[in-house]
Amino acid sequence: MNLYHHYFLDDGSIAFDANATLKEAQLNKYNFGDFCEIIPSEETQEIFKGSKLVFKTTPSGFTIYAKAEETAPNSGTYRPFVNLPQTTVFNFLIYVKDPLFENYSTVNPKPAIPYYFSNKKPVSEGVSFNYLDLETTTLPVENFTINQTSYGEMAKNLSTKEKIGLFGIISLEMAGDDTVPFDGNARNILNANGTIPAFPKTFKLQLKNRSTIWNYRDASTNTLLHSTDPTTLPLAKNGIIGYSFNGQERPSAFPSRLIFEKDGGGNIIKTISEIFINQ
């Protein structure tokens, strides 16, 4: 499972996944732990203990390792050492730990109902439900919402502590739904006979970086250095986003200085980055 964030991974205005070479280079200096953490739920941790499974985080997400045995000598087919029924579910909980997360992201770090990423559609969800992404597919995180009824059922398996500040839930059933009609891809964890697929699935979440209006101010007088709003530009931790006016290249914006302009109903109509420069 990989968790990508464009703010940390993009090379300036160039998306990190624009090509394979850039993606590899950007991932070499990436660690999702800079802004969030993912942990197995307490219930899932108990399953792991009894099933000889190991959860390990990586710089880009996490991997599950299983003690396995060959189904027959030299068959090349393996099954978990401890049988896992097809209805077994692993739940992983995502918590945002960076207080500036909302400034550089397009989603709320503490949604009213946590985002839900799964290979199994809850019974109370309709046809608009989206299955979690594979490494080869990409949907906006905003598309992975569920209704209160669905979350209420899942929350029964979470402790009070686990529900506090919960950003999202990754829920993986061994069988999962038949998702081939959804987008042409299967998302089962185990084969129907309980064996491990020859090529285990790699799933992902991909978070977008926020774009803002970059307002440049004179550091000594606090006055705007331009008369109209500049072009909206993305926030990125790495690389260079070139912007210039009055014949000069200007510095990039940082997520620590952000202003939200709202209408009378409280809706955000402008997101502004303020950059102070010495004239």
Side-chain angles (χ1 to χ4, degrees):
M1 183 82 204
N2 292 318
L3 196 162
Y4 300 139
H5 200 308
H6 281 268
Y7 171 73
F8 294 92
L9 283 166
D10 285 359
D11 184 13
S13 57
I14 303 173
F16 77 97
D17 53 357
N19 61 72
T21 301
L22 178 61
K23 183 175 180 178
E24 182 180 3
Q26 296 303 95
L27 283 172
N28 282 337
K29 50 190 177 184
Y30 175 72
N31 193 323
F32 84 93
D34 289 341
F35 64 93
C36 79
E37 65 176 342
I38 304 175
I39 58 174
S41 70
E42 294 171 2
E43 188 176 77
T44 297
Q45 290 179 42
E46 290 303 312
I47 295 174
F48 282 8
K49 289 178 184 177
S51 303
K52 299 188 182 300
L53 300 169
V54 176
F55 168 88
K56 286 190 175 182
T57 58
T58 66
S60 62
F62 67 84
T63 301
I64 303 168
Y65 295 91
K67 182 177 181 180
E69 60 183 355
E70 205 166 17
T71 56
N74 303 314
S75 67
T77 301
Y78 294 84
R79 63 186 172 214
F81 190 78
V82 176
N83 179 59
L84 292 170
Q86 291 287 295
T87 55
T88 302
V89 176
F90 300 154
N91 288 316
F92 306 91
L93 311 179
I94 310 171
Y95 299 93
V96 173
K97 62 182 187 180
D98 185 355
L100 291 178
F101 177 84
E102 190 171 13
N103 285 20
Y104 56 75
S105 307
T106 60
V107 290
N108 190 320
K110 296 180 181 179
I113 298 176
Y115 293 103
Y116 188 67
F117 312 93
S118 183
N119 63 349
K120 180 80 173 180
K121 182 174 76 171
V123 294
S124 55
E125 293 297 317
V127 294
S128 62
F129 179 81
N130 290 303
Y131 293 98
L132 85 166
D133 277 321
L134 293 157
E135 186 67 25
T136 53
T137 67
T138 306
L139 288 174
V141 168
E142 294 90 331
N143 288 20
F144 294 96
T145 57
I146 53 173
N147 59 48
Q148 183 61 57
T149 300
S150 297
Y151 177 57
E153 284 300 310
M154 294 165 207
K156 293 177 182 178
N157 299 318
L158 302 176
S159 67
T160 299
K161 180 181 177 182
E162 288 179 308
K163 288 181 278 190
I164 297 173
L166 184 58
F167 173 78
I169 301 169
I170 300 167
S171 185
L172 302 174
E173 186 190 72
M174 296 306 100
D177 291 339
D178 176 11
T179 62
V180 172
F182 176 67
D183 64 358
N185 298 294
R187 288 171 169 79
N188 55 297
I189 306 301
L190 296 179
N191 295 321
N193 61 2
T195 59
I196 299 170
F199 301 98
K201 307 293 186 299
T202 298
F203 301 103
K204 77 170 181 186
L205 282 62
Q206 193 152 316
L207 294 155
K208 285 291 292 179
N209 48 337
R210 183 185 292 279
S211 289
T212 64
I213 296 169
W214 291 17
N215 270 358
Y216 290 87
R217 292 183 178 273
D218 187 313
S220 60
T221 64
N222 199 36
T223 55
L224 277 174
L225 298 175
H226 43 80
S227 57
T228 58
D229 285 338
T231 303
T232 299
L233 296 168
L235 298 175
K237 183 177 182 180
N238 302 299
I240 298 172
I241 298 178
Y243 184 74
S244 62
F245 62 88
N246 295 340
Q248 295 184 46
E249 190 79 12
R250 304 296 177 169
S252 297
F254 292 92
S256 55
R257 294 196 65 89
L258 216 60
I259 295 174
F260 296 103
E261 286 190 6
K262 301 181 180 180
D263 62 19
N267 301 304
I268 297 173
I269 55 176
K270 284 185 180 181
T271 306
I272 300 169
S273 291
E274 290 201 317
I275 307 118
F276 291 85
I277 58 179
N278 294 312
Q279 288 294 90

